[in-house]
Amino acid sequence: MEVAVTEAVQRRPRADGQRNRARILAAALRLFVERGPDVPFTEIAKEAGVGVGTVYRHFPTREDLIEAAYRSELDAVCAAAGELLEEMPPAGALRTWMDRFVDYWATKIGLTEAIRAVVAAGGNPFAQSRERLDDAVGALLSATAAAGVTRPEVEADDVVVSLSGIAMVAGVLEDREQAGRVLDLLYEGMRIRP
């Protein structure tokens, strides 16, 4: 007799396993940005406070780990939209998220060499990235438009493209405050005028 395993029957990951995975991803992300894609798994394990076998159990290949590290940053920046809307008024949430996006982009740029290795191995770490970012910005814009702060016709994808351009330039600016001023200009361009 054959038994089908459904999602409801499958076990959820143990809490310690989830914590280990999160620590591995944080350590890998930092080390990949600082030193490139060839950081030994032993160093990632040491930084994460786990055994090297734990790293391999979660991420059998280097490409798996690189892609998961990138996606964890994408998950964090997308989740931040909802979290910020819960913590502060919509106008502040949008502007704060814009800064968070620039930080995300800086990490993405830092991972460029590592991501190339994933793409060369046939992976697509960017699948659905734009859509997910558009959804996050869309939630922020809906909230700010409903609060009478931003113009309702502002398109989420236009904001993502604008932020991406600012973030690329911010990576080469010596003055992080200048990037903040440019973000302020974009933010003011979205606002409703009396």
Side-chain angles (χ1 to χ4, degrees), residues 8 10 33 41 58 74 77-78 97 107 119 121 133 137 141 151 159 168:
Q10 291 177 350
V33 168
F41 271 25
H58 287 278
L74 176 65
V77 75
C78 290
W97 190 87
T107 300
V119 173
L133 290 166
V137 171
L141 289 174
R151 295 180 286 125
V159 175
M168 283 192 293

Side-chain angles (χ1 to χ4, degrees), residues 60-74:
T61 69
R62 179 169 303 282
E63 291 77 18
D64 291 335
L65 180 54
I66 292 167
E67 187 166 354
Y70 165 71
R71 287 187 185 274
S72 72
E73 270 300 284
L74 176 65

